[in-house]
Amino acid sequence: MSMSNVKRREFLAAVALATALVVAGAPAASATAKPKIKVSGGVTQPVFSYQDAIREHVRVQSSVDSDSDGKKDLVRVDIIRPKESDSGLKVPVIMQESPYYDNPGVGFEIEHKKYDADGNVMKFPMYYDNYFVPRGYAFVSVDMIGTRLSDGCPTSYGAADVLGGKAVVDWLNGRASAYDDKGDPVKASWTTGRTGMIGHSYEGGLGVGVAGTGVEGLETIVPLSAYTSGYENGHANGVLTWFKGGARWQSEHVDKDPAAKCEAVRQRMDAESDDDTGNYNAYWDERNYRTGTISKARDVRASVFAVMGMQDRNVVGSQFSEWWAKLPRNVQRKAWVTQYGHLDPFWARREVWLTTLNKWFDHELMGVSNDIMRQTRVDVQLGPGRWVTQADWPARTRTTTLRPQQDGSLGHTPSTGTGSYLDTAQTEIAMAADPATTNPNRLAYLTPPLQNAMRLSGTPTVSLKVKLDKPTANLGVLLVDYGQDTRINYRETTATSSQGLKLLGGEDCVGQSTADDDGCYFRAGDNTATSGFNVVTRGILDAQNHKSLSRSTPLTPSKSYQITWKMLPQDYEFKAGHRLGLVLTGTNDDFNLDETGNGSGTDVEPGTGAKVTIDLAGTSVALPLITGTPF
C-alpha cells in the first residue's frame, strides 16, 4: 500500500471517529466550548460563524514566469476560514480559481471581490463561502495568473493558467511557498490539505487542468460546463468557430494590466494558434487537458462531479464526453447531463444541487459516511421537469444506422441516387425549417412517425460519400426532432432569460450573511417554448481535415471521398409520433461565435460556396439508442 493510501485511510478513520462522537452523542459541551465539525443526516451542519471567520490573503510562488520578467509569478490567494482553525481545528479547502474576478465578473450575477482596508476580501463572489465556511470548510479564491492581483500573463488555457492553480494546491499541502504583504513566509497550518476545486466554464476547465497534473492533495473537482480542450473552444474539426485572434481577445478580456505588459506573449499566441488554417498543433496540445503535454485525463486522481449542458454552444458537449471517457476506471465520478445551455446548476435545480454538492464535498473532503456514492451515478434531464437516473454516461446502447433515401425518407437499407447543395452559411433554424420544401443550401431526410418513444444516449457518427467542385467545403449535419412539443428553450437570450432558464422573481439566501456579503441570489426556473421542431445535435467538419486535424489536405474536385466524423454528443428522448430528421448542409452559422459568445459571427466562416454532391449509397448516420427503434 502506498504512503498516500495509508494517510488517506488514517484520515478517513480519524474523521469517522470524530463524526461518530458528534452524531452518537459525545459528552455535553460546556457553554464556552468551541464548535467542532457537526454531522447530521450524512451532511455537515452550519455551526461556525461566517461573521467571525478569518479573512486573509497570501501570494503563492508558482513554477512559471509567464511574463518573462525574470521572476516566478506570484499567485494571489484570498482565504476565508472558520476562526476555530486558528486554534487547532484543521479544515479542508474548497477552491475556485478564476480569470473573471476583474472582467467580466463571476457567476450569472456578475459579482466582483470587495476588499477592506487591509486588502482582505469582505465579499467573495458566488455562494461557496456563505454556504460552506459555516460547515467547517475554508474557501480559497485564486486569481488566475495574469488576472486581478496575480503576476504574469493569462495564456488562454495554457500552461501558466494551470500551473498557477497547481502551485496553490501544493502550498496547501506544504510543498510550495507563500508570502504576506511584508514578504514574510506564510504556511497553511490550518488545513488538512484536502482540496476540492469547483467552477463554471473557464474556471471548471482550470480544475480539470490542475487535476490532470496528478497533483497530490486535490481530492475532488466539480467542473461545470468546463473546457477540456482549448482547440474545441474555437474550432470544430478544422472549422474555425470563433473569430480569428480569439485566444488573444480572451487573454486581453480578463486582464486589466496595461496592454504592453503582455503584448509579446499575445503575439506568440497569435502566431502559434494558426487561426488561418484551423489546424491542431503543439500550441493546442498544450491546451489539451485530455491527452496534452501539461495535463492528461489518464493522470487524474481526484474524484469528479461534472455537469454538462448538451445544448451549450459555448462549451460544446464533446468537451465533457471525450474527457469523461478517458478518465481512469478507478476515478470515482458523478455527472449531471442536461438540456440546458452554458449553465451553472445552482440556477437550474438549486435545492437538489446544494444538497448533492454538500454530500459530495462532505464525503470527499471530510470523509463523512453518507449515501452519495450509493446513489445512481448520473442524472439526465430529458425535458422540462423530467429527470431520470442511470448507471453511467452514456448509457448502454445499441447502434442503429439510418440511410437517406431518394424519396426524402430515412431508411435502413442503402439507396441509389444523389443529392446536392451549396456550402453557404445559414442558421440552424433556417436549415431545419420546412424539411419538405426544396432548399438549394441543404438536403433533408425524415423517418416516418415513430411508433414508440426513442432515446439517444452518446455520440452519433455521420458518414458522407461526397464530391466537391472546389478543394474544400464545410460539411454540416443536423439531427432534428420534428413534432409539436414544449421543450427547454436554450436559444432565447433576453434580459430575464438565457441558456434555457428564466428569472422567476425573488431571491434565495444561501448560507450565512454579513453586511458586506449577503449570499442572496435570484431565483430561476426552466424557460420553455412550444415549437414544431428542435435541433437535437449537430456536427461540422472542414473537408480538407477529414484525414487529420493537424494537416490540411485539399480535395480533388469531382473526385469521390468517403468522410466520417463524430457529431456532438447528446442524451435525448424522441417522443412517439414525432419524426427524426437528418439535415445535410454547409457552414453552420450558429457555430460562428463573436466576442460575446453569441452566434452569427459571420466574419468567422462565411461558407466556401462549393457545390457538395452526396452519393446516397455511401451516406448514413449511426445512432446510439437506449430504447426504441425509428420505425
Side-chain angles (χ1 to χ4, degrees):
M1 182 184 296
S2 69
M3 183 57 69
S4 61
N5 284 336
V6 171
K7 289 180 178 178
R8 177 181 174 85
R9 289 194 175 186
E10 289 176 348
F11 169 81
L12 292 175
V15 173
L17 176 60
T19 300
L21 289 174
V22 172
V23 176
S30 69
T32 59
K34 296 177 181 178
K36 297 180 180 180
I37 303 294
K38 181 179 180 181
V39 177
S40 178
V43 292
T44 51
Q45 301 299 309
V47 298
F48 300 96
S49 169
Y50 180 72
Q51 175 76 47
D52 296 338
I54 295 168
R55 294 162 172 83
E56 59 188 345
H57 62 276
V58 300
R59 284 162 64 82
V60 172
Q61 183 171 295
S62 74
S63 61
V64 296
D65 177 13
S66 62
D67 54 7
S68 301
D69 66 354
K71 299 179 291 185
K72 296 292 177 63
D73 297 334
L74 293 174
V75 182
R76 167 73 177 224
V77 180
D78 293 301
I79 303 162
I80 179 170
R81 54 188 174 89
K83 67 176 182 180
E84 290 78 7
S85 62
D86 246 9
S87 53
L89 179 70
K90 300 284 189 179
V91 297
V93 171
I94 294 172
M95 171 174 156
Q96 180 188 40
E97 181 187 7
S98 180
Y100 297 140
Y101 292 125
D102 255 341
N103 192 32
V106 174
F108 280 21
E109 292 192 20
I110 316 297
E111 294 182 294
H112 296 84
K113 293 180 179 180
K114 295 181 181 178
Y115 304 85
D116 66 11
D118 296 322
N120 294 316
V121 173
M122 300 307 292
K123 175 179 174 55
F124 287 87
M126 297 297 289
Y127 62 92
Y128 306 126
D129 53 317
N130 307 84
Y131 189 85
F132 285 104
V133 170
R135 286 168 164 78
Y137 291 86
F139 176 64
V140 168
S141 174
V142 180
D143 296 350
M144 190 188 81
I145 278 181
T147 69
R148 195 68 191 124
L149 300 177
S150 289
D151 295 341
C153 297
T155 56
S156 295
Y157 316 111
D161 296 7
V162 172
L163 296 178
K166 177 182 180 296
V168 177
V169 178
D170 282 332
W171 173 66
L172 292 168
N173 286 273
R175 299 187 299 269
S177 300
Y179 306 93
D180 62 18
D181 289 344
K182 297 178 181 179
D184 295 329
V186 180
K187 294 186 180 298
S189 56
W190 42 266
T191 180
T192 63
R194 297 178 65 83
T195 302
M197 291 184 70
I198 187 170
H200 177 249
S201 193
Y202 201 145
E203 301 161 351
L206 293 172
V208 169
V210 174
T213 68
V215 61
E216 186 178 352
L218 183 59
E219 302 298 329
T220 191
I221 60 172
V222 184
L224 316 173
S225 298
Y227 298 102
T228 66
S229 165
Y231 179 80
E232 285 186 14
N233 179 38
H235 307 77
N237 300 305
V239 178
L240 191 66
T241 59
W242 213 19
F243 59 97
K244 290 184 179 180
R248 163 189 275 271
W249 177 88
Q250 189 168 50
S251 174
E252 293 173 334
H253 184 62
V254 299
D255 182 9
K256 283 194 173 181
D257 287 334
K261 174 187 171 185
C262 294
E263 179 58 23
V265 172
R266 290 172 186 142
Q267 286 182 5
R268 288 198 301 273
M269 291 168 62
D270 282 340
E272 294 172 4
S273 60
D274 190 18
D275 282 348
D276 288 333
T277 70
N279 289 348
Y280 184 92
N281 57 24
Y283 172 90
W284 295 113
D285 206 47
E286 179 184 319
R287 291 156 175 79
N288 179 352
Y289 303 159
R290 303 170 194 165
T291 59
T293 54
I294 303 300
S295 176
K296 296 177 175 62
R298 73 183 187 195
D299 292 335
V300 171
R301 300 294 177 263
S303 62
V304 174
F305 182 9
V307 178
M308 189 69 220
M310 287 301 176
Q311 292 294 0
D312 194 334
R313 307 310 307 278
N314 190 333
V315 180
V316 293
S318 56
Q319 297 264 22
F320 160 73
S321 64
E322 294 291 324
W323 175 74
W324 179 265
K326 289 178 171 60
L327 289 172
R329 287 182 176 273
N330 63 348
V331 167
Q332 299 226 49
R333 67 187 83 180
K334 187 174 181 63
W336 284 10
V337 175
T338 83
Q339 291 301 311
Y340 299 120
H342 194 54
L343 195 69
D344 181 328
F346 177 72
W347 298 93
R349 207 184 179 197
R350 185 166 295 174
E351 184 175 348
V352 179
W353 171 247
L354 288 173
T355 299
T356 307
L357 186 64
N358 195 167
K359 285 186 176 182
W360 181 266
F361 278 144
D362 286 352
H363 186 276
E364 295 301 281
L365 300 180
M366 292 275 196
V368 173
S369 178
N370 57 37
D371 66 352
I372 192 67
M373 293 304 181
R374 297 192 298 274
Q375 295 176 5
T376 309
R377 178 178 283 179
V378 180
D379 285 24
V380 178
Q381 181 193 40
L382 295 180
R386 177 158 159 69
W387 291 80
V388 297
T389 59
Q390 61 193 45
D392 205 345
W393 199 91
R396 291 191 177 188
T397 60
R398 301 177 68 178
T399 300
T400 295
T401 300
L402 297 179
R403 304 176 187 276
Q405 306 294 305
Q406 187 70 49
D407 64 359
S409 65
L410 277 174
H412 293 294
T413 58
S415 173
T416 58
T418 62
S420 63
Y421 59 86
L422 298 177
D423 173 19
T424 60
Q426 306 168 83
T427 67
E428 289 185 353
I429 295 297
M431 289 187 280
D434 302 318
T437 303
T438 300
N439 184 329
N441 303 309
R442 63 106 198 269
L443 296 170
Y445 303 91
L446 276 70
T447 67
L450 303 179
Q451 295 179 0
N452 301 291
M454 183 184 76
R455 184 169 157 210
L456 178 151
S457 181
T459 304
T461 300
V462 63
S463 187
L464 307 181
K465 191 170 185 179
V466 302
K467 291 181 182 179
L468 307 180
D469 67 351
K470 292 186 178 184
T472 194
N474 294 328
L475 303 176
V477 59
L478 304 177
L479 198 63
V480 186
D481 175 15
Y482 289 100
Q484 194 77 2
D485 203 0
T486 299
R487 305 175 176 93
I488 298 294
N489 186 6
Y490 64 89
R491 293 183 180 277
E492 182 178 77
T493 299
T494 69
T496 58
S497 64
S498 180
Q499 308 301 330
L501 290 181
K502 62 182 178 182
L503 296 180
L504 300 178
E507 290 185 325
D508 294 318
C509 295
V510 178
Q512 297 181 18
S513 300
T514 65
D516 297 294
D517 191 336
D518 64 7
C520 299
Y521 294 87
F522 294 128
R523 295 191 185 102
D526 289 354
N527 184 30
T528 62
T530 301
S531 61
F533 69 90
N534 181 47
V535 176
V536 174
T537 188
R538 67 280 295 163
I540 194 167
L541 172 139
D542 184 341
Q544 63 187 338
N545 286 105
H546 73 280
K547 290 185 177 179
S548 170
L549 292 182
S550 301
R551 185 180 69 258
S552 299
T553 305
L555 279 63
T556 302
S558 299
K559 180 180 177 180
S560 184
Y561 292 83
Q562 191 72 47
I563 298 177
T564 302
W565 79 100
K566 293 179 179 179
M567 299 175 68
L568 292 177
Q570 188 42 288
D571 205 306
Y572 189 89
E573 184 178 56
F574 296 85
K575 294 183 177 179
H578 287 207
R579 303 175 76 183
L580 186 152
L582 178 68
V583 179
L584 307 179
T585 186
T587 301
N588 185 331
D589 204 35
D590 288 22
F591 271 114
N592 290 341
L593 300 182
D594 59 21
E595 291 92 338
T596 66
N598 294 317
S600 299
T602 52
D603 60 325
V604 180
E605 290 278 358
T608 67
K611 180 180 179 180
V612 181
T613 300
I614 302 293
D615 183 343
L616 299 182
T619 297
S620 63
V621 59
L623 305 177
L625 300 181
I626 302 175
T627 56
T629 56
F631 45 86

XYZ file of all heavy atoms in Angstrom, residues 47-100:
429
model
N -22.421 25.248 11.921
C -22.253 25.587 13.331
C -21.170 26.639 13.564
O -20.982 27.097 14.693
C -21.919 24.330 14.157
C -23.061 23.337 14.084
C -20.614 23.679 13.684
N -20.472 27.052 12.515
C -19.410 28.046 12.643
C -19.911 29.406 12.171
O -20.762 29.508 11.290
C -18.182 27.634 11.832
C -17.589 26.324 12.260
C -17.914 25.143 11.610
C -16.718 26.252 13.340
C -17.392 23.931 11.993
C -16.180 25.039 13.753
C -16.524 23.877 13.074
N -19.366 30.450 12.773
C -19.809 31.806 12.454
C -19.131 32.318 11.193
O -17.898 32.412 11.120
C -19.482 32.752 13.615
O -19.667 34.101 13.227
N -19.955 32.682 10.204
C -19.417 33.304 8.986
C -18.958 34.733 9.289
O -17.942 35.189 8.770
C -20.503 33.297 7.909
C -20.087 33.918 6.598
C -19.186 33.273 5.754
C -20.606 35.146 6.189
C -18.810 33.838 4.548
C -20.233 35.718 4.983
C -19.341 35.066 4.174
O -18.963 35.624 2.979
N -19.690 35.427 10.139
C -19.340 36.800 10.506
C -17.952 36.855 11.135
O -17.157 37.751 10.842
C -20.377 37.349 11.495
C -20.066 38.734 12.054
C -20.333 39.827 11.054
O -21.390 39.841 10.419
N -19.404 40.756 10.899
N -17.633 35.878 11.995
C -16.367 35.902 12.731
C -15.237 35.172 12.012
O -14.139 35.041 12.563
C -16.568 35.258 14.107
C -17.547 36.036 14.979
O -17.734 37.249 14.720
O -18.136 35.442 15.893
N -15.483 34.688 10.805
C -14.462 33.912 10.090
C -13.218 34.751 9.832
O -13.275 35.985 9.706
C -15.029 33.397 8.773
N -12.092 34.071 9.767
C -10.812 34.725 9.461
C -10.733 34.990 7.966
O -10.961 34.102 7.144
C -9.633 33.837 9.898
C -9.646 33.682 11.415
C -8.314 34.404 9.402
C -8.725 32.609 11.922
N -10.413 36.225 7.618
C -10.229 36.627 6.229
C -8.792 37.102 6.063
O -8.355 37.999 6.778
C -11.232 37.709 5.842
C -12.683 37.215 5.857
C -13.675 38.356 5.913
N -15.062 37.906 5.748
C -15.817 37.422 6.703
N -15.327 37.332 7.949
N -17.055 37.020 6.467
N -8.095 36.509 5.107
C -6.684 36.834 4.916
C -6.315 36.603 3.456
O -7.118 36.117 2.662
C -5.810 35.960 5.834
C -5.979 34.473 5.592
C -5.256 33.631 6.641
O -4.411 34.169 7.357
O -5.565 32.428 6.727
N -5.096 36.948 3.105
C -4.624 36.710 1.746
C -3.122 36.467 1.750
O -2.402 36.949 2.638
C -4.963 37.883 0.822
C -4.314 39.182 1.224
N -4.863 40.030 2.173
C -3.165 39.776 0.808
C -4.094 41.091 2.316
N -3.044 40.965 1.499
N -2.679 35.712 0.779
C -1.254 35.434 0.592
C -0.970 35.467 -0.899
O -1.877 35.543 -1.732
C -0.851 34.050 1.165
C -1.127 33.976 2.653
C -1.564 32.920 0.424
N 0.337 35.398 -1.217
C 0.766 35.262 -2.617
C 1.649 34.022 -2.692
O 2.696 33.962 -2.039
C 1.486 36.520 -3.077
C 0.508 37.667 -3.367
C 1.171 39.029 -3.400
N 2.139 39.204 -4.469
C 1.835 39.512 -5.727
N 0.558 39.645 -6.078
N 2.767 39.700 -6.628
N 1.205 33.053 -3.481
C 1.896 31.775 -3.602
C 2.854 31.831 -4.790
O 2.485 32.287 -5.880
C 0.881 30.624 -3.799
C 1.598 29.315 -4.113
C 0.010 30.473 -2.555
N 4.074 31.351 -4.571
C 5.048 31.333 -5.665
C 4.782 30.144 -6.578
O 4.764 28.999 -6.149
C 6.471 31.262 -5.130
C 7.525 31.316 -6.241
C 8.923 31.472 -5.705
O 9.255 32.495 -5.101
N 9.736 30.453 -5.897
N 4.588 30.439 -7.855
C 4.341 29.386 -8.839
C 5.665 28.907 -9.428
O 6.743 29.405 -9.096
C 3.434 29.911 -9.948
O 4.157 30.794 -10.804
N 5.564 27.975 -10.355
C 6.755 27.430 -11.025
C 7.003 28.086 -12.376
O 7.904 27.673 -13.106
C 6.580 25.917 -11.223
O 5.440 25.647 -12.036
N 6.208 29.120 -12.737
C 6.299 29.694 -14.082
C 6.595 31.191 -14.032
O 6.307 31.875 -13.046
C 4.990 29.464 -14.868
C 4.759 27.978 -15.081
C 3.796 30.081 -14.168
N 7.167 31.671 -15.123
C 7.406 33.100 -15.331
C 6.718 33.467 -16.643
O 7.343 33.577 -17.691
C 8.901 33.394 -15.401
C 9.220 34.858 -15.691
O 8.300 35.690 -15.603
O 10.386 35.156 -16.031
N 5.405 33.638 -16.594
C 4.623 33.777 -17.825
C 4.857 35.096 -18.543
O 4.638 35.187 -19.750
C 3.136 33.611 -17.515
O 2.694 34.614 -16.628
N 5.292 36.139 -17.826
C 5.535 37.426 -18.465
C 7.012 37.675 -18.738
O 7.402 38.766 -19.168
C 4.956 38.571 -17.635
C 5.449 38.562 -16.186
O 6.339 37.761 -15.858
O 4.912 39.359 -15.387
N 7.862 36.668 -18.479
C 9.298 36.725 -18.798
C 9.989 37.938 -18.185
O 10.841 38.584 -18.809
C 9.502 36.729 -20.327
O 8.948 35.577 -20.918
N 9.625 38.235 -16.929
C 10.287 39.351 -16.256
C 11.435 38.890 -15.371
O 11.994 39.673 -14.600
C 9.279 40.166 -15.437
C 8.686 39.384 -14.262
O 8.965 38.164 -14.139
O 7.936 39.990 -13.465
N 11.778 37.603 -15.463
C 12.887 37.065 -14.686
C 12.513 36.607 -13.292
O 13.382 36.165 -12.539
N 11.236 36.686 -12.930
C 10.779 36.266 -11.604
C 9.602 35.312 -11.745
O 8.745 35.496 -12.607
C 10.362 37.484 -10.771
C 11.470 38.489 -10.505
C 10.977 39.670 -9.700
C 10.023 40.526 -10.508
N 9.622 41.767 -9.768
N 9.575 34.299 -10.886
C 8.449 33.374 -10.895
C 7.177 34.121 -10.480
O 7.189 34.915 -9.535
C 8.711 32.202 -9.942
C 9.893 31.321 -10.354
C 9.595 30.556 -11.626
C 10.769 29.722 -12.099
N 11.136 28.669 -11.153
N 6.106 33.860 -11.189
C 4.842 34.552 -10.922
C 4.322 34.214 -9.526
O 4.309 33.045 -9.112
C 3.788 34.137 -11.945
C 4.157 34.536 -13.363
O 4.920 35.503 -13.524
O 3.670 33.875 -14.306
N 3.847 35.238 -8.821
C 3.181 35.065 -7.543
C 1.677 35.088 -7.766
O 1.147 35.969 -8.458
C 3.592 36.159 -6.561
C 5.066 36.134 -6.105
C 5.381 37.358 -5.251
C 5.361 34.864 -5.321
N 0.990 34.131 -7.166
C -0.445 33.953 -7.369
C -1.192 34.464 -6.148
O -0.948 34.004 -5.025
C -0.779 32.467 -7.606
C -2.272 32.299 -7.861
C 0.033 31.907 -8.773
N -2.098 35.399 -6.356
C -2.889 35.959 -5.256
C -3.950 34.946 -4.819
O -4.732 34.441 -5.630
C -3.551 37.254 -5.702
C -4.639 37.783 -4.770
C -4.115 38.372 -3.478
N -5.220 38.913 -2.692
C -5.187 40.086 -2.064
N -4.097 40.829 -2.111
N -6.226 40.503 -1.376
N -4.004 34.699 -3.501
C -4.946 33.749 -2.919
C -5.684 34.440 -1.781
O -5.072 34.873 -0.801
C -4.212 32.496 -2.388
C -5.210 31.520 -1.777
C -3.416 31.826 -3.497
N -7.008 34.562 -1.913
C -7.849 35.133 -0.862
C -8.537 34.005 -0.111
O -9.089 33.087 -0.719
C -8.887 36.078 -1.472
C -8.239 37.317 -2.071
O -7.566 38.040 -1.326
O -8.389 37.538 -3.288
N -8.519 34.087 1.218
C -8.917 32.971 2.075
C -9.961 33.429 3.077
O -9.852 34.517 3.650
C -7.692 32.417 2.836
C -6.597 31.986 1.858
C -8.086 31.263 3.752
C -5.226 31.837 2.506
N -10.959 32.590 3.301
C -11.871 32.758 4.423
C -12.031 31.390 5.073
O -12.239 30.385 4.393
C -13.233 33.355 3.991
C -14.164 33.495 5.199
C -13.885 32.573 2.864
C -15.431 34.295 4.899
N -11.908 31.351 6.417
C -11.931 30.067 7.135
C -12.494 30.284 8.544
O -12.432 31.394 9.093
C -10.535 29.464 7.201
C -9.460 30.386 7.780
C -8.069 29.768 7.621
N -6.989 30.657 8.029
C -6.481 30.746 9.254
N -6.986 29.974 10.243
N -5.486 31.562 9.546
N -13.060 29.234 9.142
C -13.596 29.381 10.498
C -12.520 29.871 11.469
O -11.358 29.450 11.381
C -14.050 27.968 10.853
C -14.280 27.289 9.546
C -13.260 27.862 8.620
N -12.901 30.747 12.381
C -11.902 31.286 13.319
C -11.293 30.176 14.172
O -10.149 30.283 14.626
C -12.515 32.360 14.204
C -13.566 31.862 15.193
C -14.065 32.983 16.101
C -15.082 32.466 17.117
N -15.576 33.532 18.000
N -12.027 29.070 14.368
C -11.516 27.951 15.170
C -10.328 27.267 14.506
O -9.585 26.550 15.163
C -12.633 26.934 15.411
C -13.735 27.411 16.361
C -14.722 28.352 15.716
O -14.652 28.547 14.465
O -15.567 28.911 16.446
N -10.130 27.527 13.205
C -8.976 26.927 12.531
C -7.671 27.605 12.932
O -6.593 27.148 12.548
C -9.154 26.990 11.011
O -9.228 28.336 10.558
N -7.760 28.677 13.707
C -6.561 29.303 14.273
C -6.212 28.724 15.631
O -5.202 29.113 16.220
C -6.772 30.816 14.405
C -5.849 31.608 13.482
O -5.183 30.987 12.629
O -5.818 32.849 13.601
N -7.053 27.844 16.135
C -6.796 27.288 17.470
C -6.982 25.775 17.485
O -7.593 25.225 18.391
C -7.701 27.954 18.502
O -9.054 27.884 18.115
N -6.480 25.134 16.435
C -6.401 23.677 16.458
C -7.306 22.934 15.502
O -7.047 21.768 15.190
N -8.390 23.549 15.024
C -9.281 22.864 14.098
C -8.659 22.848 12.705
O -8.348 23.899 12.136
C -10.635 23.570 14.033
C -11.663 22.962 13.068
C -12.147 21.619 13.594
C -12.830 23.923 12.854
N -8.477 21.658 12.151
C -7.945 21.520 10.796
C -9.116 21.373 9.832
O -9.990 20.519 10.030
C -7.042 20.294 10.680
C -5.826 20.319 11.600
C -4.749 21.250 11.081
C -3.457 21.103 11.897
N -2.383 21.971 11.409
N -9.125 22.182 8.783
C -10.267 22.200 7.873
C -9.815 21.915 6.436
O -8.707 22.278 6.038
C -10.999 23.557 7.927
C -11.569 23.812 9.308
C -10.081 24.700 7.507
N -10.674 21.266 5.650
C -10.388 21.090 4.221
C -10.715 22.363 3.453
O -11.289 23.307 4.010
C -11.298 19.939 3.824
C -12.476 20.075 4.734
C -11.933 20.614 6.044
N -10.397 22.361 2.164
C -10.490 23.577 1.351
C -11.378 23.351 0.134
O -11.239 22.347 -0.572
C -9.086 24.013 0.873
C -9.181 25.145 -0.146
C -8.234 24.436 2.057
N -12.272 24.292 -0.107
C -12.976 24.394 -1.383
C -12.363 25.575 -2.124
O -12.292 26.680 -1.587
C -14.486 24.589 -1.178
C -15.077 23.340 -0.532
C -15.176 24.888 -2.510
C -16.525 23.493 -0.102
N -11.898 25.329 -3.332
C -11.080 26.313 -4.062
C -11.709 26.641 -5.410
O -12.126 25.757 -6.154
C -9.669 25.738 -4.257
C -8.746 26.514 -5.167
S -7.096 25.752 -5.124
C -6.425 26.284 -6.701
N -11.784 27.923 -5.691
C -12.218 28.397 -7.005
C -11.093 29.235 -7.592
O -10.759 30.300 -7.074
C -13.496 29.240 -6.896
C -13.996 29.766 -8.234
C -15.136 30.758 -8.077
O -15.132 31.596 -7.176
N -16.120 30.685 -8.952
N -10.499 28.736 -8.674
C -9.526 29.532 -9.427
C -10.258 30.149 -10.607
O -10.923 29.442 -11.374
C -8.379 28.661 -9.929
C -7.333 29.458 -10.705
C -6.264 28.587 -11.361
O -6.405 27.348 -11.336
O -5.308 29.158 -11.907
N -10.169 31.465 -10.754
C -10.957 32.130 -11.793
C -10.148 33.208 -12.493
O -9.365 33.917 -11.860
C -12.212 32.761 -11.183
O -12.975 33.413 -12.179
N -10.368 33.368 -13.809
C -9.796 34.514 -14.520
C -10.743 35.711 -14.535
O -10.400 36.754 -15.082
C -9.634 33.964 -15.941
C -10.798 33.042 -16.098
C -11.044 32.432 -14.734
N -11.942 35.564 -13.938
C -13.022 36.518 -14.159
C -13.223 37.533 -13.039
O -14.180 38.312 -13.081
C -14.344 35.762 -14.334
C -14.398 34.842 -15.527
C -15.015 33.589 -15.428
C -13.848 35.205 -16.748
C -15.087 32.739 -16.515
C -13.911 34.362 -17.841
C -14.529 33.122 -17.722
O -14.601 32.281 -18.795
